[in-house]
Amino acid sequence: MRFNLEGLEVFFPYDRIYLEQYQYMRSIKQTLDAGGHCLLEMPTGTGKTVCLLSLITSYQLAHPNCGKLVYCTRTVPEMNSVMEELGTVFSYRSEQLRLDREVAAAADASNTQQAEDVTMMDVEESATSSTTNYNTEQQQQQVRKRKRIYGPKKNGQKENMGPIPYDGGAGGSGALALCLSSRRNMCIHERVLRESDREGIDAACRSMTAPWALERAKTDQTVETCQYFDGFQAAGEATSMPSGVYDLEELKKWGKGKNWCPYYLTRQAINHATVLVFNYQYMLDPKVAKMVS
């Protein structure tokens, strides 16, 4: 459903909304308008995530310079759940904006046709014009009434996730939404992933990507480097990401397809993202906080 909230058009991807959800979104909007801080609490299962995502992404659409949405979670499954919900929100908004364009195009075509007919129309043709107007209105109503079913794709593919190059990109506005996590959750190098713990994975990654390792590899062929990091470095400025919604699996899939390291690619793409989702601990990490800001 689409509704007006104190002058803001909100794209909410479900047919019904609870009063508490409406009040929650109104409080968030008032905080964004005031530029202040807000502390809200809602019980588990009341739809906090979709409310926050729907309201703030709609606010970003109306105010392109308002900044990023940074959503912090506690666990990786929660992170992926947020990205899945965001994909639903963006897909609904993209569909609605596409229908708006179709209705506008149909109206323009009808007005153009009527303007051409007026110069040649006689009294008898006036009745035909009324029928044409009625048919055009019926077509516009049919366009608006089209519904799209949101759900998982077949063959295990996720709906509304990954790169979205059609209908103006993610959300119909070219949005880019990314997850940020540790090497353990983002690495795609087979040998590194054989390490048993996070510290081992971090150490193995650094041994192949650190400047000293890359320098030694130039003269010593026995020094192993990471093909994905090397590909990422070699691509240089070409390492951009298309509009879309990327959870951890989609980031790894995209990186492997391009032969780029998804861990370093995501950190570079942070500056271009409109939505970031990561663990609370990253908010306290000075390096990550500097990149996000």
Side-chain angles (χ1 to χ4, degrees), residues 49-83:
T49 299
V50 68
C51 288
L52 189 149
L53 295 176
S54 296
L55 187 284
I56 296 183
T57 55
S58 296
Y59 198 92
Q60 287 178 318
L61 181 65
H63 305 86
N65 297 322
C66 70
K68 292 180 174 61
L69 163 59
V70 178
Y71 194 114
C72 295
T73 67
R74 186 176 60 87
T75 65
V76 170
E78 289 176 353
M79 184 186 306
N80 288 329
S81 178
V82 170
M83 298 303 287

Side-chain angles (χ1 to χ4, degrees), residues 78-222:
E78 289 176 353
M79 184 186 306
N80 288 329
S81 178
V82 170
M83 298 303 287
E84 186 175 350
E85 190 75 80
L86 180 62
T88 300
V89 171
F90 274 160
S91 182
Y92 171 75
R93 190 176 82 186
S94 178
E95 180 76 2
Q96 290 297 306
L97 294 177
R98 184 182 66 80
L99 295 179
D100 286 349
R101 292 193 296 269
E102 289 185 7
V103 170
D108 290 342
S110 176
N111 292 336
T112 301
Q113 184 63 42
Q114 290 179 19
E116 293 176 353
D117 291 345
V118 164
T119 59
M120 304 176 63
M121 188 182 300
D122 57 20
V123 177
E124 293 180 355
E125 292 173 334
S126 297
T128 305
S129 176
S130 300
T131 304
T132 302
N133 292 338
Y134 173 78
N135 291 336
T136 301
E137 291 175 0
Q138 291 292 99
Q139 292 173 359
Q140 294 178 9
Q141 290 177 6
Q142 290 175 0
V143 168
R144 288 191 177 277
K145 288 181 179 179
R146 287 184 199 164
K147 292 185 178 181
R148 182 174 179 179
I149 303 301
Y150 301 95
K153 287 184 179 179
K154 297 180 180 180
N155 302 323
Q157 296 181 350
K158 295 180 180 178
E159 175 77 10
N160 314 322
M161 304 295 286
I164 304 176
Y166 49 85
D167 285 344
S173 60
L176 176 62
L178 301 173
C179 279
L180 189 64
S181 190
S182 63
R183 289 178 174 87
R184 180 177 61 178
N185 296 321
M186 301 188 73
C187 181
I188 55 177
H189 194 285
E190 293 182 0
R191 190 186 75 75
V192 174
L193 290 175
R194 288 200 293 266
E195 298 294 333
S196 59
D197 55 21
R198 185 181 66 181
E199 289 74 15
I201 290 177
D202 288 348
C205 175
R206 292 191 182 98
S207 70
M208 292 189 288
T209 60
W212 61 265
L214 299 177
E215 193 64 28
R216 281 186 55 189
K218 294 179 180 179
T219 57
D220 187 353
Q221 295 183 353
T222 64

Side-chain angles (χ1 to χ4, degrees), residues 204-262:
C205 175
R206 292 191 182 98
S207 70
M208 292 189 288
T209 60
W212 61 265
L214 299 177
E215 193 64 28
R216 281 186 55 189
K218 294 179 180 179
T219 57
D220 187 353
Q221 295 183 353
T222 64
V223 176
E224 183 182 7
T225 60
C226 175
Q227 69 182 79
Y228 300 108
F229 182 77
D230 293 343
F232 169 76
Q233 292 284 79
E237 295 182 357
T239 54
S240 60
M241 297 188 67
S243 171
V245 180
Y246 299 84
D247 62 2
L248 295 178
E249 289 303 317
E250 289 296 333
L251 284 169
K252 290 191 286 187
K253 186 189 301 181
W254 174 259
K256 183 168 287 189
K258 288 288 187 177
N259 202 39
W260 296 343
C261 172

Side-chain angles (χ1 to χ4, degrees), residues 2 8 210 275:
R2 298 166 65 172
L8 174 69
V275 181

Side-chain angles (χ1 to χ4, degrees), residues 68 70 180 270-271 276 278 287-293:
K68 292 180 174 61
V70 178
L180 189 64
I270 281 177
N271 293 330
L276 292 173
F278 51 69
K287 294 181 180 179
V288 176
K290 184 177 180 180
M291 286 190 296
V292 172
S293 61

